[in-house]
Amino acid sequence: MIFHINSGHPRWFILLGTALGFFVYYFTVGKIVMLFSSYIILFVRTVFMFVMKLTLFPLLKLISFLSRIAVRLLRRLTCAAVGKMLYNRELKASKRGYNMADSVLRELTVQK
């Protein structure tokens, strides 16, 4: 905003004020902040983890639980379907007088 008002020309008092503000902070409040920075970081991390435990972790556990149920259900369905298909294939082959290997080979050659 300052550069917009000054038509893009930096003024020396703006640069001097910025540098003076940095040095005042660095030698006064900056030292206090650096002494307590580990405590500040610990506090922020604790608050963040508390919020995560209240919101995200239960949601992840629910998604994990539902996905395990879905995988088990899909495994049962696919195993039942594959087992039924194999049983039917064996039954048809035995009615024709072939064993399972002959019927599978015969079906593969017919499909090509």
Side-chain angles (χ1 to χ4, degrees):
M1 178 160 167
I2 293 174
F3 293 120
H4 179 69
I5 293 172
N6 292 332
S7 300
H9 298 290
R11 305 287 187 218
W12 66 270
F13 53 86
I14 295 174
L15 297 175
L16 181 68
T18 304
L20 184 65
F22 168 75
F23 286 114
V24 167
Y25 169 79
Y26 183 76
F27 290 112
T28 57
V29 180
K31 290 190 180 220
I32 296 170
V33 169
M34 293 310 289
L35 286 173
F36 292 108
S37 65
S38 61
Y39 297 113
I40 293 170
I41 292 170
L42 180 65
F43 175 74
V44 170
R45 184 182 300 159
T46 305
V47 168
F48 181 73
M49 289 305 292
F50 178 73
V51 170
M52 292 289 285
K53 284 181 183 179
L54 286 179
T55 58
L56 190 61
F57 291 149
L59 182 64
L60 290 176
K61 285 189 177 194
L62 177 66
I63 290 171
S64 172
F65 176 73
L66 292 175
S67 67
R68 277 186 272 143
I69 289 175
V71 166
R72 287 180 192 160
L73 181 64
L74 286 174
R75 281 185 187 162
R76 285 184 183 172
L77 290 174
T78 55
C79 288
V82 169
K84 187 175 181 182
M85 287 172 24
L86 289 176
Y87 173 75
N88 287 340
R89 192 177 283 178
E90 288 174 1
L91 186 63
K92 288 177 185 176
S94 66
K95 286 182 180 177
R96 292 182 192 148
Y98 303 112
N99 62 8
M100 181 66 186
D102 290 339
S103 68
V104 170
L105 287 174
R106 188 177 303 270
E107 287 180 14
L108 289 176
T109 56
V110 170
Q111 288 178 357
K112 289 182 181 180

